[in-house]
Amino acid sequence: HGVISIGALGGLITNGCNFSKAFPGLGRRRGVTLNVCFAVPFYREWMLLLGMVSANKTTLKKVLHRGESLLLVPGGAAEALYAQP
């Protein structure tokens, strides 16, 4: 995750790459993160400020039913070990 997800969030969630012009009508975009991120004081508020949502089925369904889009970065630490420079 790390650099890959930070780049995706910076470019797509904040509209840094004019995503809304390239894909009009997709509605608000939300980043998805682990539930544990919302359990850490102050970090939770930062995640909410960025518009992040919890990666659980109920929350994701609610966000999609509201017409918003989700940004998922699949994989994790184990998969990162397969990366080659």
Side-chain angles (χ1 to χ4, degrees):
H1 285 73
V3 174
I4 296 170
S5 59
I6 296 296
L9 290 172
L12 301 176
I13 300 296
T14 65
N15 205 33
C17 62
N18 292 320
F19 185 84
S20 61
K21 286 184 182 179
F23 301 96
L26 283 182
R28 183 175 182 183
R29 293 163 312 279
R30 300 282 202 144
V32 180
T33 190
L34 299 171
N35 298 338
V36 72
C37 291
F38 295 99
V40 180
F42 300 107
Y43 190 71
R44 173 189 181 276
E45 282 69 31
W46 183 45
M47 292 290 102
L48 292 172
L49 181 68
L50 292 173
M52 302 291 282
V53 296
S54 180
N56 67 55
K57 185 177 180 178
T58 304
T59 302
L60 299 180
K61 284 177 125 179
K62 285 180 184 178
V63 170
L64 291 172
H65 279 74
R66 288 193 306 241
E68 298 176 1
S69 300
L70 296 169
L71 175 63
L72 295 168
V73 180
E79 291 83 0
L81 296 175
Y82 294 118
Q84 298 293 323

